[in-house]
């Protein structure tokens, strides 16, 4: 029997602690606005559009953090099925392999298992979104010039989580009764990155057929 979504996506199962917005800030208000639109049943293509008069960087920042929280929760739920033994390479089928690179421990693209890659990824994103020089939260502090480039890199790597989960762990998603929820999260993510051209179309190839089927 399929579990209800509250059982499947238990907040205790997040791979990393949730990042929250400070009440009273502009970003918190934008987050509430975005969540209200989602819950209202509006078309997801409309939900991702920049509200009139709002800053595009604030809008992107809110969504990057929200997608980090959501994908973090999905992978946290799936992580018991994604092991060193089952997934010795971070991949999306036989055709796509993702290697890890950062500015500290792995300075060259390095082959990692999927669990290792996910761990490095979530730590890396968490470090960035908690860095005031990259994701400023104080009023009047401008975003850095390379902000959207950083967000493109974050979102590109988060997309790879969807690739791995859909291709290697979709049976587990179905068995848990979570298919509709994961699909909705994916569609929201996909419409957002397309609306603002935030991921190179070549990165989207692994899920192209599925995307054409569920994202009309």
């Amino acid at each position: 029997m399929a579990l209800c979504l509250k059982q499947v996506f238990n907040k205790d199962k997040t791979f990393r602690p949730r990042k929250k917005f400070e009440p009273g800030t502009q970003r918190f208000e934008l987050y509430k606005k975005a969540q209200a639109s989602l819950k209202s049943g509006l078309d997801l293509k409309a939900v991702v559009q920049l509200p009139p008069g709002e800053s595009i960087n604030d809008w992107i920042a809110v969504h990057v953090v929200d997608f980090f929280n959501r994908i973090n929760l999905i992978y946290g739920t799936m992580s018991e099925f994604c092991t060193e033994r089952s997934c010795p390479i971070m991949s999306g089928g036989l055709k796509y392999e993702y290697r890890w690179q950062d500015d500290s421990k792995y300075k060259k693209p390095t082959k990692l298992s999927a669990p290792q890659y996910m761990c490095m990824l979530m730590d890396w994103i968490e470090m960035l979104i908690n860095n005031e020089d990259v994701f400023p939260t104080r009023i009047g502090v401008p975003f850095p010039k390379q902000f959207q480039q950083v967000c493109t890199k974050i979102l590109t790597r988060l997309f790879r989580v969807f690739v791995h989960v859909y291709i290697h762990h979709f049976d587990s998603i179905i068995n848990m009764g979570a298919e509709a929820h994961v699909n909705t999260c994916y569609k929201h993510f996909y419409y957002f990155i397309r609306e603002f051209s935030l991921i190179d179309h070549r990165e989207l190839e692994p899920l192209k057929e599925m995307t054409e089927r569920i994202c009309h």
Side-chain angles (χ1 to χ4, degrees):
M1 181 185 290
L3 298 171
C4 74
L5 287 181
K6 284 186 179 178
Q7 289 174 293
V8 174
F9 293 100
N10 186 316
K11 289 180 182 178
D12 294 335
K13 288 190 175 182
T14 55
F15 199 55
R16 289 290 180 278
R18 289 172 63 85
K19 168 73 174 176
K20 295 181 180 178
F21 299 99
E22 286 295 321
T25 62
Q26 172 67 8
R27 206 141 324 144
F28 180 72
E29 295 305 316
L30 272 180
Y31 172 72
K32 286 201 302 183
K33 187 181 292 187
Q35 293 304 301
S37 296
L38 268 179
K39 291 174 183 175
S40 71
L42 285 174
D43 175 46
L44 285 171
K45 286 182 185 176
V47 165
V48 300
Q49 292 171 4
L50 180 67
E54 299 294 354
S55 152
I56 186 169
N57 281 342
D58 274 321
W59 190 239
I60 290 173
V62 163
H63 282 80
V64 167
V65 172
D66 190 38
F67 289 135
F68 167 70
N69 286 335
R70 291 171 185 273
I71 295 168
N72 177 20
L73 182 57
I74 289 171
Y75 183 71
T77 305
M78 307 303 306
S79 59
E80 64 185 286
F81 308 107
C82 184
T83 65
E84 301 284 333
R85 187 172 179 178
S86 67
C87 306
I89 298 171
M90 174 56 182
S91 60
L94 298 174
K95 193 175 177 182
Y96 301 95
E97 179 183 317
Y98 301 118
R99 299 191 175 194
W100 181 258
Q101 182 177 14
D102 53 38
D103 296 326
S104 52
K105 189 175 179 181
Y106 298 98
K107 297 194 175 180
K108 293 181 179 179
T110 305
K111 185 182 292 189
L112 298 177
S113 68
Q116 286 177 305
Y117 185 101
M118 299 296 186
C119 191
M120 297 302 299
L121 173 60
M122 298 306 176
D123 282 349
W124 175 76
I125 296 175
E126 196 170 31
M127 176 195 70
L128 285 172
I129 62 180
N130 287 323
N131 185 339
E132 282 286 330
D133 292 332
V134 182
F135 278 74
T137 58
R138 297 186 298 276
I139 294 173
V141 177
F143 285 91
K145 289 181 180 178
Q146 76 278 18
F147 177 71
Q148 289 190 25
Q149 289 173 274
V150 172
C151 289
T152 285
K153 195 165 187 179
I154 292 173
L155 293 167
T156 298
R157 288 178 165 181
L158 281 175
F159 181 79
R160 294 171 183 176
V161 180
F162 278 121
V163 173
H164 184 76
V165 167
Y166 269 119
I167 292 176
H168 294 277
H169 302 294
F170 195 62
D171 286 349
S172 298
I173 292 173
I174 292 173
N175 291 337
M176 296 171 77
E179 182 183 0
H181 180 85
V182 175
N183 284 350
T184 298
C185 184
Y186 175 75
K187 287 162 71 173
H188 185 202
F189 180 94
Y190 177 79
Y191 290 138
F192 184 80
I193 58 104
R194 295 296 288 172
E195 175 74 13
F196 299 103
S197 303
L198 289 167
I199 297 183
D200 189 299
H201 69 91
R202 290 170 295 187
E203 284 282 345
L204 306 176
E205 280 296 313
L207 296 181
K208 184 179 178 183
E209 287 184 17
M210 185 201 77
T211 303
E212 289 173 350
R213 191 170 68 251
I214 71 171
C215 300
H216 305 297

